[in-house]
């Protein structure tokens, strides 16, 4: 499916309010627990999403507009949120994510990207050539990866509690694939 | 983890508003498309969740309280929503799900279930003996299975659009496991 910028922004705009609705003031047994050693809690995921708004998506959009494929993107720092989330409550991280996302979507709208801009090529440090269209689609699909992950983290807390039903619950069969 | 009824109700209460926030008025390219033949769209999933509120969870809770394990639950009808959703908009289904869930949580609260009630046994038509505690935990984990599924259905629409990034997006590696 070709990227429709308005459709993509519709989804991107909903992620922070969706996660806010799901997680704010939810008991900590849901928000602070993870899926085991070296896995993330819902709290960690929100920190990661806030970091992405700060350091990844818009800087990469700008990198394509300014340098095309002549300069590679800065690599993602998948562990930056450990540093950046320190001392912050989940509510603070949800607020940060919402505010940064709103600012970033306003920036994208103000760029008035034309079809030609969406076809422009950038250079990913590992994947090689990628287009602006692929980058913006990935921004939205990355949100869905983390909503997928959060639903799995929450379900995991009741893995034993559901007893024999675990075999019927698709989310409990999910191997995670990646965070 | 043992079932804490208040914690479980906290999560159960958030699912309808979370899905409402994510899906209401979202463009139909997201809400009406599925993952291919014989799979569900987000619209189908909301119909299924509304049906569950009508036919499954509370009737099973009552079945345990009334009959214990002397009578098996009615089997789930996983395709009832095709019939029940006919002619309804997504907004109508979201409203139905919200209203039914709120009524059902009020019913559960009014039952004042004691620890002894949570240990009572019922009889699942395929799984055999299950407890009230397992049933209520499954109600919440079933919500998470479908939030997991919806995030996957939405991401699937951009499976090609993200280009080479698909290999980094966990949600696009998810085989579905079951709906």
């Amino acid at each position: 499916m070709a990227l429709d910028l308005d459709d993509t922004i519709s989804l991107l705009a909903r992620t922070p309010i969706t996660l806010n609705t799901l997680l704010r003031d939810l008991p900590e047994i849901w928000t602070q627990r993870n899926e085991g050693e070296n896995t993330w809690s819902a709290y960690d995921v929100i920190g990661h999403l806030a970091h992405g708004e700060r350091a990844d998506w818009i800087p990469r959009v700008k990198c394509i507009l300014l340098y095309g494929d002549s300069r590679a993107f800065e690599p993602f720092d998948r562990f930056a949120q450990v540093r950046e989330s320190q001392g912050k409550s989940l509510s603070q991280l949800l607020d940060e994510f919402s505010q940064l996302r709103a600012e970033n979507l306003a920036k994208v709208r103000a760029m008035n990207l034309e079809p030609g801009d969406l076809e422009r090529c950038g250079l990913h440090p590992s994947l090689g050539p990628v287009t602006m269209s692929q980058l913006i689609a990935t921004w939205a699909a990355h949100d869905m990866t983390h909503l997928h992950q959060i639903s799995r983290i929450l379900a995991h807390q009741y893995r034993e509690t559901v007893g024999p039903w675990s075999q019927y619950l698709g989310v409990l069969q999910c191997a995670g694939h990646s965070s």
Side-chain angles (χ1 to χ4, degrees), chain A residues 3 8 17 32 44-45 48 76 83 92 107 123 149 157 167 176:
Chain A
L3 181 97
T8 312
I17 44 173
Q32 295 292 338
D44 297 327
V45 174
H48 167 73
F76 253 56
R83 197 172 60 242
Q92 283 175 294
K107 285 178 192 165
L123 188 61
Q149 182 187 18
Q157 309 313 319
Q167 63 191 278

Side-chain angles (χ1 to χ4, degrees), chain A residues 4-19:
Chain A
D4 179 297
L5 195 55
D6 289 336
D7 287 344
T8 312
I9 289 176
S10 287
L11 187 55
L12 283 165
R14 275 170 170 83
T15 310
I17 44 173
T18 299
L19 292 173

Side-chain angles (χ1 to χ4, degrees), chain A residues 38-124:
Chain A
N38 294 321
T39 66
W40 289 359
S41 65
Y43 172 90
D44 297 327
V45 174
I46 303 302
H48 167 73
L49 288 168
H51 173 75
E53 294 305 303
R54 215 176 268 115
D56 296 320
W57 304 107
I58 291 293
R60 289 180 168 198
V61 168
K62 287 183 181 163
C63 185
I64 294 181
L65 289 177
L66 285 171
Y67 308 110
D69 55 5
S70 69
R71 184 187 291 195
F73 307 144
E74 292 292 319
F76 253 56
D77 179 354
R78 290 186 54 256
F79 298 96
Q81 75 277 0
V82 178
R83 197 172 60 242
E84 292 181 2
S85 300
Q86 231 159 27
K88 293 178 187 166
S89 67
L90 176 60
S91 296
Q92 283 175 294
L93 293 178
L94 286 164
D95 287 341
E96 267 186 30
F97 176 44
S98 288
Q99 190 185 330
L100 292 164
R101 172 62 59 89
E103 290 169 8
N104 284 341
L105 292 182
K107 285 178 192 165
V108 169
R109 286 194 193 94
M111 287 174 191
N112 285 313
L113 297 171
E114 302 287 338
D117 296 317
L118 294 175
E119 285 167 27
R120 288 195 69 176
C121 264
L123 188 61
H124 187 280

